Amino acid sequence: MTIQTTKESNATVVTISGRMDAMTAPEYEKTLNEFIASGETSFVVDFQGLDYISSAGLRALLATAKLLKTKGGQILLSNVLGTVREVFDISGFGTIFKIKDSVADALADIG
Amino acid sequence: MTKIQTDKLFRQLTRIMNEVSQGNTSNIETIFELTKEGIYPPEIVNLAESFGMMVVNIEAKQQHLEQLLVNLQEKNCALELVSNSLLNANIGMLEVLGSAIAKRDSDTCSHNYRVCIYAIHLGKELGLSDDSLRSLIKGAFLHDIGKIAISDTILLKPGGLDDQEYEIIKTHVLHGSEIIKAYSWLSDAHEVVLYHHERFNGNGYPDGLKADQIPLNARIFAICDVFDALTSKRPYKEPYPLDYALRAMRCEVGSHFDPEIFDLFVKNAETVHETIARLSESQLERLLHAIMHDYFAPPERNGEKK
């Protein structure tokens, strides 16, 4: 898994590619936690390049979202596609996270 | 990894699954540790992943529910504000309507305020439910609202009325009942508005109801109404002293007034009378306003009063 972050005017865009599982999820959580600790409250997590997400990956997403909620922040997802999308639909994550078709859509939604 | 090591991991995973099924989540992180591909055997990873997915599903639903609860609480707060302002609007309308009709044949609203306070005291003494007390308060406030339909030449006529004029005055209870029935929040004032001129022996109006046929709130109010008329100053008379008023009313127990309710009224008449008889119109208004808000406040925050 590789993580790239870009600071946009109204949010930090986190681009994830590869596999998000028990091996790599801690890195995602650590990255996001550091941004949250530094005061960032709005994130777009882009799954364009994500091949696979395991239960541990989903759990990391959940933990970050929960932490962000307590700080009045928000997390939007974009490009949730293919098998990753299937996992989202099965797990009910689709109702917890705002999912947009593209990073641009997500950024526009944050406003 | 040897068969023995794999068996050990399998037993560990099974133990944790049992723990979780019994509500103990202290070792839940181990499940996700065991999903690491390449480190643990595939059969363990697959099992751990399935179980891990189940755990995440539950956690996600829990998180979703928590969020819904927060949203619900926020909406509830907003609704409470709306409901409070509606209540204030209704109480305000009750007060304004009551005052409008009081001003029709009097300089002040003091009589209206006092009869309400007497009625609340007597109703509480009788152990009325909060619902009945609220109806009693509304009825007391609006008891003469039908006088709005009586012409000034009859309503304000100095001296006595002839039979025909008296018959017209008597219609004010019917007019009043008709007016308040049009608005649901006021419609429970109907018993007092329509029947406050009934008499215990059946010689009252409009229906000549007797004793228990007369609604309880109307029997309560009739006593308060006459008592205040006797003990307060009117354009044509000075206030009668308390004991004189009570003796005069005692003569009409059984004919005009309900004996049991009257006895209860007499028990506390002096105390209540002393408290409020000398209050100015604005003091009465403030006192009553406070009592009203107390009785009409939303029940979930107020609870039933004893």
Side-chain angles (χ1 to χ4, degrees):
Chain A
M1 183 186 79
T2 56
I3 297 184
Q4 276 183 332
T5 57
T6 323
K7 182 81 192 86
E8 298 288 340
S9 64
N10 57 351
T12 296
V13 178
V14 182
T15 311
I16 296 175
S17 48
R19 295 169 57 85
M20 195 169 168
D21 57 19
M23 304 286 271
T24 57
E27 192 190 337
Y28 161 83
E29 244 187 294
K30 185 168 167 281
T31 309
L32 271 278
N33 285 350
E34 280 169 11
F35 274 107
I36 293 169
S38 74
E40 179 63 275
T41 52
S42 292
F43 294 90
V44 176
V45 176
D46 186 43
F47 283 169
Q48 173 86 61
L50 189 70
D51 303 319
Y52 170 77
I53 187 164
S54 78
S55 58
L58 290 171
R59 199 156 190 253
L61 284 179
L62 213 54
T64 318
K66 195 169 189 174
L67 175 65
L68 216 45
K69 204 80 192 175
T70 63
K71 303 193 182 293
Q74 57 179 335
I75 188 163
L76 276 74
L77 306 179
S78 60
N79 290 307
V80 184
L81 310 164
T83 52
V84 176
R85 182 76 194 213
E86 280 170 32
V87 171
F88 260 68
D89 291 341
I90 294 164
S91 63
F93 266 52
T95 59
I96 297 180
F97 289 94
K98 238 186 200 176
I99 299 175
K100 294 287 164 184
D101 289 340
S102 66
V103 174
D105 280 359
L107 286 172
D109 192 89
I110 290 170
Chain B
M1 197 167 279
T2 66
K3 171 91 171 58
I4 293 173
Q5 283 171 312
T6 305
D7 282 352
K8 199 181 156 208
L9 288 174
F10 184 76
R11 279 197 303 277
Q12 191 186 8
L13 194 54
T14 311
R15 199 188 64 240
I16 296 170
M17 285 163 79
N18 278 330
E19 283 174 9
V20 173
S21 74
Q22 284 159 24
N24 173 3
T25 55
S26 56
N27 292 312
I28 212 160
E29 298 299 335
T30 309
I31 297 166
F32 297 97
E33 168 63 25
L34 293 174
T35 64
K36 287 180 177 170
E37 289 177 36
I39 294 182
Y40 301 102
E43 59 266 43
I44 293 294
V45 168
N46 286 343
L47 194 60
E49 179 60 27
S50 296
F51 193 49
M53 205 50 106
M54 212 168 87
V55 169
V56 171
N57 275 348
I58 293 168
E59 287 177 344
K61 287 197 175 74
Q62 199 174 340
Q63 206 162 312
H64 191 207
L65 283 178
E66 279 166 14
Q67 189 52 46
L68 287 179
L69 190 64
V70 170
N71 295 349
L72 209 60
Q73 281 163 342
E74 282 167 7
K75 286 207 175 89
N76 205 34
C77 278
L79 271 178
E80 226 168 64
L81 285 178
V82 171
S83 134
N84 257 341
S85 72
L86 275 179
L87 180 67
N88 283 335
N90 273 333
I91 292 176
M93 178 201 53
L94 189 61
E95 290 171 341
V96 165
L97 270 180
S99 300
I101 187 55
K103 290 278 162 90
R104 194 67 208 293
D105 59 354
S106 166
D107 296 338
T108 75
C109 308
S110 299
H111 167 69
N112 227 27
Y113 295 149
R114 280 191 306 263
V115 290
C116 283
I117 296 170
Y118 287 133
I120 292 165
H121 277 279
L122 188 48
K124 264 165 74 175
E125 272 304 308
L126 278 160
L128 293 190
S129 69
D130 276 10
D131 262 352
S132 299
L133 273 173
R134 283 188 281 267
S135 304
L136 180 59
I137 295 170
K138 292 177 198 175
F141 243 103
L142 302 177
H143 64 281
D144 272 345
I145 191 169
K147 282 190 177 166
I148 222 151
I150 309 295
S151 78
D152 283 354
T153 47
I154 296 176
L155 188 67
L156 305 177
K157 188 180 172 185
L161 301 170
D162 64 31
D163 284 354
Q164 201 191 347
E165 289 165 337
Y166 186 56
E167 286 307 312
I168 292 172
I169 281 280
K170 278 158 71 173
T171 63
H172 81 276
V173 296
L174 300 170
H175 288 301
S177 163
E178 215 171 283
I179 291 169
I180 57 156
K181 269 185 174 169
Y183 187 40
S184 65
W185 194 78
L186 292 181
S187 57
D188 57 329
H190 157 262
E191 291 184 336
V192 171
V193 173
L194 185 59
Y195 296 121
H196 71 279
H197 285 294
E198 295 289 359
R199 300 170 76 95
F200 201 70
N201 62 7
N203 288 340
Y205 63 88
D207 291 343
L209 299 182
K210 263 188 196 167
D212 288 354
Q213 292 175 330
I214 308 166
L216 179 59
N217 276 350
R219 279 178 275 148
I220 293 171
F221 181 76
I223 293 171
C224 302
D225 195 23
V226 173
F227 176 77
D228 189 64
L230 293 175
T231 54
S232 60
K233 186 174 157 45
R234 292 292 160 95
Y236 51 86
K237 74 169 214 5
E238 286 302 308
Y240 295 128
L242 177 83
D243 55 344
Y244 177 86
L246 287 178
R247 256 184 288 133
M249 288 175 77
R250 171 74 68 191
C251 296
E252 294 204 59
V253 164
S255 57
H256 191 167
F257 307 119
D258 183 313
E260 282 177 42
I261 302 176
F262 184 77
D263 283 345
L264 206 58
F265 179 76
V266 170
K267 250 177 63 188
N268 300 293
E270 195 176 348
T271 322
V272 183
H273 179 255
E274 257 178 28
T275 322
I276 72 163
R278 281 191 197 84
L279 296 183
S280 71
E281 186 182 13
S282 61
Q283 286 171 318
L284 285 168
E285 186 186 4
R286 277 198 300 279
L287 174 62
L288 187 56
H289 193 76
I291 296 174
M292 302 258 290
H293 275 267
D294 208 17
Y295 275 98
F296 287 95
E300 66 270 19
R301 267 184 290 140
N302 221 19
E304 284 279 305
K305 282 200 191 53
K306 294 287 166 284

